[in-house]
Amino acid sequence: MLLLNPTDLIRERYGSSVFNPEHLWNETLATLLSHRSVRAYLPNALPSLTLETLISAAQSAATSSNLQTWSVVAVQDPVRKNTLSQLAGNQAHIRQCPMFLVWLADLARLNYLATQQEMTTDGLDYLEMFVTAVIDTALAAQNATVAAESLGLGTVYIGGIRNQPEQVAETLQLPPQLFAVFGLCIGYPDQANLATVKPRLPQAAVLHHETYDLVQQEAAIAQYNEVMQHFYKSQQMNVTGDWVEHSLKRVATAQALGEREQLKEKLHRLGFPLL
């Protein structure tokens, strides 16, 4: 962990010292606020039982009605990691990290159990259950991520795993009603190529009291544009414009979604009616 002082961590997270929660501070908060995406890993193997410990943390996350509608595939085989890397946009860190976890929204397990019990599963066909499974998956994965980082490991989520979900399903031999929500690289960070903590929006842009107020965000977003332009420059990132322009380009067209604009149709083919 690089920064333990709460003032330093808050400054890193927001680009300024907006408050000092020293009287509330602990190691868990330090781990959370120190999070950064790691895209360069050492070749070191993970200690014995690391995976099992991370999964136990994941299974300690909240889950709707205790349905536990998620699963995970741990991938260490170099050939399979390379295939997944290509499917996710040729991201080198997938090949480089010692452990790549593919997190799955899983309705197949309940369907399988219902078949064994000769019961119906009409409810699984509805969008609500797919959303439930995706939420369960995200909660579990974030628990595992925090656990990994508390052990000195680095992580980065791979949303590109959704680029070609049918090919990912084939690579992992997934039966119907399973969907790879994202991947997660895990390994020891290469300290020589360690990313800086990326500032987030001011709390005034995301925290509302009693009711939601869209207009109140304007000043906070303007401030954030300045923070991010400084960040882009300091990190020598080739980003055109400010954060608003960068973000709006990401949603300006269907094609900007990067091979995911037909996700609904692909989900139908993976066994999710989404009624």
Side-chain angles (χ1 to χ4, degrees):
M1 189 174 300
L2 298 179
L3 296 169
L4 296 178
N5 183 284
T7 302
D8 291 341
L9 283 169
I10 292 294
R11 183 186 302 111
E12 289 283 302
R13 184 53 67 200
Y14 292 108
S16 62
S17 298
V18 290
F19 62 94
N20 182 0
E22 185 173 2
H23 65 292
L24 300 171
W25 205 243
N26 57 36
E27 291 184 7
T28 301
L29 288 168
T31 298
L32 288 166
L33 269 78
S34 298
H35 169 74
R36 67 202 66 206
S37 294
V38 173
R39 294 182 173 87
Y41 295 90
L42 300 176
N44 306 33
L46 302 181
S48 173
L49 298 179
T50 297
L51 175 61
E52 292 81 358
T53 301
L54 298 184
I55 298 306
S56 69
Q59 290 188 280
S60 299
T63 171
S64 181
S65 300
N66 200 34
L67 294 178
Q68 304 176 68
T69 50
W70 64 272
S71 291
V72 62
V73 177
V75 180
Q76 294 177 284
D77 175 63
V79 175
R80 185 167 283 109
K81 283 199 297 178
N82 182 62
T83 299
L84 293 171
S85 171
Q86 296 298 325
L87 293 173
N90 195 28
Q91 300 191 51
H93 32 284
I94 298 176
R95 298 189 294 272
Q96 189 183 53
C97 69
M99 178 75 69
F100 185 60
L101 302 182
V102 183
W103 295 88
L104 308 170
D106 185 350
L107 299 183
R109 180 164 48 243
L110 289 175
N111 185 66
Y112 178 77
L113 294 172
T115 299
Q116 286 187 321
Q117 298 294 320
E118 298 183 348
M119 295 179 64
T120 61
T121 58
D122 293 346
L124 294 181
D125 293 344
Y126 285 82
L127 178 61
E128 162 62 17
M129 282 308 305
F130 179 76
V131 171
T132 294
V134 170
I135 293 171
D136 268 12
T137 305
L139 293 173
Q142 186 61 15
N143 258 31
T145 294
V146 174
E149 292 177 354
S150 77
L151 295 173
L153 299 171
T155 67
V156 62
Y157 282 104
I158 306 296
I161 209 72
R162 298 191 301 278
N163 289 355
Q164 302 182 62
E166 292 166 292
Q167 291 86 336
V168 169
E170 181 180 358
T171 301
L172 301 179
Q173 300 181 20
L174 304 181
Q177 295 181 302
L178 281 154
F179 170 61
V181 181
F182 42 69
L184 183 68
C185 295
I186 297 178
Y188 287 103
D190 180 354
Q191 297 293 333
N193 294 284
L194 193 63
T196 301
V197 169
K198 184 178 292 184
R200 296 295 197 245
L201 283 164
Q203 290 192 8
V206 301
L207 173 61
H208 302 261
H209 295 277
E210 308 301 337
T211 60
Y212 184 92
D213 184 352
L214 188 61
V215 177
Q216 77 163 28
Q217 304 176 35
E218 292 181 0
I221 291 173
Q223 174 189 344
Y224 187 60
N225 273 337
E226 295 181 6
V227 169
M228 287 306 294
Q229 285 183 312
H230 175 75
F231 178 81
Y232 297 147
K233 184 177 180 180
S234 68
Q235 299 302 303
Q236 299 181 330
M237 297 174 66
N238 186 23
V239 177
T240 302
D242 54 25
W243 175 81
V244 168
E245 182 178 347
H246 171 72
S247 300
L248 293 182
K249 285 180 178 178
R250 182 65 177 79
V251 298
T253 65
Q255 290 71 31
L257 298 178
E259 302 184 60
R260 303 174 211 172
E261 69 273 13
Q262 298 179 2
L263 182 58
K264 184 170 68 173
E265 290 77 10
K266 293 176 181 180
L267 285 169
H268 288 166
R269 294 195 290 271
L270 290 171
F272 298 92
L274 306 179
L275 300 178

